[in-house]
Amino acid sequence: MSDRHAENSPLSLRALTARAVGAFETVANPVTEREREYRRIVALCAPFSVLLLVAGLYPLSEVVRISVSTAQYESVGFSLDAYATLFGDPYYRRVAFDSLWLTTGTTLVSVGLAVPIAHALEKYDLPGEDLLVTLVSFPISLPGIVAAFMILVLFGNNGVVTAVAAALTGSRPTDLAFAVSVPGLFVAFVYSMVPRATLILRGTYAEVDSAAEEAAQALGATPFETFRHVTLPQIRPGITGALILTFRTGLAIFGTLVVIQTLVVWTLQLSRELGVGYDVQVAGAMATVYFAFTFLFTVLGLRYTSAEVGI
């Protein structure tokens, strides 16, 4: 390529270098107020940008490279065999299906429970409200393994709830215990996800127009009609945000699965790929697919949320 052609090309190395130098000079020596504001933004974002590059983009690029490598312990060559295994093997399709239905079900139940909890906390003067908020948010601070252990303590063969139910019904505890089962795993997931949805919805409730609710009630609307026609449209963006967060949380849960391994989902299978046999190519492909799916899901979800908010 000639020098003249390089100068005229908008994506030439010389043009990109000039733009980079110009941007650096603007940040280093701002003249206008807009340029000074731009420098402050760059300064504020710099620490996270470095963290994103070092702990995010670089490891992710290595994971993608490993997933298409032709060697077991080196990132060399190019092969899509690992992806062919993921999409062609019925076992991995079943793992993906189980991951999606479990996460979707627990997400819907968690948000469904969080709406009345947030409504009660924000709309009524409850006795001991600080204690209630602490109890609701407490599961967030628990590792997944601890949450699973609590499910065992409550609903296991020797669990407290199991023993009480057995005494009341005359059944054997082993017939009533369900901790190490799909329902037990479902309850453990919901227990971990309800607090996250509740915290988001509490923030949304803080922005609800109380005057509109009072006007609806003054016109004769029942509490349910007021919630349905006045409150619900205002908290819908928060519900959408809660659905996004809890769904992503459900996909990422791992500690609970270490204890309650009654259903093989994506994160548990990924751990197994790195354990028995150490199939790093398939593990890398699983991690890449997981990231791509959650990223696209979040982008689409946020676009929907933005449309609801009106921005």
Side-chain angles (χ1 to χ4, degrees):
M1 181 183 292
S2 64
D3 292 341
R4 182 177 181 180
H5 188 201
E7 291 177 356
N8 293 332
S9 176
L11 297 179
S12 66
L13 179 60
R14 183 176 299 177
L16 292 175
T17 303
R19 291 181 182 179
V21 171
F24 177 78
E25 291 178 349
T26 299
V27 173
N29 300 298
V31 177
T32 65
E33 179 58 31
R34 183 174 182 82
E35 291 178 349
R36 284 191 286 270
E37 180 180 349
Y38 180 72
R39 183 174 65 174
R40 289 193 293 269
I41 294 174
V42 172
L44 291 172
C45 295
F48 176 76
S49 300
V50 173
L51 180 63
L52 177 65
L53 177 63
V54 175
L57 296 180
Y58 174 72
L60 179 62
S61 65
E62 285 299 302
V63 168
V64 175
R65 185 71 186 92
I66 289 171
S67 70
V68 296
S69 175
T70 56
Q72 182 71 357
Y73 302 106
E74 295 181 86
S75 298
V76 295
F78 182 84
S79 173
L80 295 176
D81 290 344
Y83 292 94
T85 299
L86 286 187
F87 293 102
D89 192 327
Y91 173 77
Y92 289 100
R93 292 202 299 268
R94 180 66 185 181
V95 171
F97 175 76
D98 288 342
S99 302
L100 291 176
W101 79 254
L102 177 64
T103 305
T104 301
T106 51
T107 295
L108 294 176
V109 171
S110 299
V111 175
L113 293 174
V115 171
I117 293 174
H119 187 90
L121 290 174
E122 293 299 318
K123 292 298 181 181
Y124 302 102
D125 187 12
L126 302 176
E129 183 173 337
D130 292 340
L131 177 61
L132 292 175
V133 172
T134 301
L135 293 175
V136 170
S137 60
F138 181 69
I140 295 179
S141 63
L142 296 178
I145 294 178
V146 176
F149 180 72
M150 293 177 64
I151 298 300
L152 293 176
V153 170
L154 292 174
F155 305 109
N157 291 335
N158 299 315
V160 176
V161 176
T162 305
V164 172
L168 293 176
T169 61
S171 303
R172 293 183 304 177
T174 53
D175 295 333
L176 300 177
F178 65 89
V180 188
S181 65
V182 173
L185 184 63
F186 194 95
V187 172
F189 268 52
V190 171
Y191 179 74
S192 299
M193 293 159 62
V194 165
R196 293 168 171 83
T198 302
L199 291 179
I200 290 180
L201 289 169
R202 286 195 68 194
T204 303
Y205 263 100
E207 301 178 0
V208 170
D209 185 5
S210 299
E213 295 177 323
E214 294 172 357
Q217 293 176 355
L219 293 174
T222 65
F224 177 76
E225 290 173 337
T226 301
F227 174 80
R228 179 183 176 185
H229 298 291
V230 180
T231 308
L232 183 59
Q234 297 186 66
I235 67 171
R236 188 174 291 123
I239 292 177
T240 304
L243 289 171
I244 294 173
L245 177 63
T246 51
F247 186 82
R248 290 176 53 180
T249 300
L251 288 177
I253 288 178
F254 175 70
T256 305
L257 297 164
V258 173
V259 179
I260 308 176
Q261 297 190 23
T262 186
L263 190 70
V264 180
V265 296
W266 204 256
T267 50
L268 182 59
Q269 183 60 34
L270 178 57
S271 174
R272 292 180 175 181
E273 297 294 344
L274 293 174
V276 180
Y278 201 69
D279 195 340
V280 292
Q281 279 82 11
V282 173
M286 292 186 70
T288 302
V289 170
Y290 173 86
F291 172 80
F293 177 80
T294 53
F295 181 80
L296 292 175
F297 170 79
T298 303
V299 169
L300 293 176
L302 290 177
R303 287 189 61 183
Y304 175 77
T305 303
S306 297
E308 288 290 330
V309 176
I311 57 176

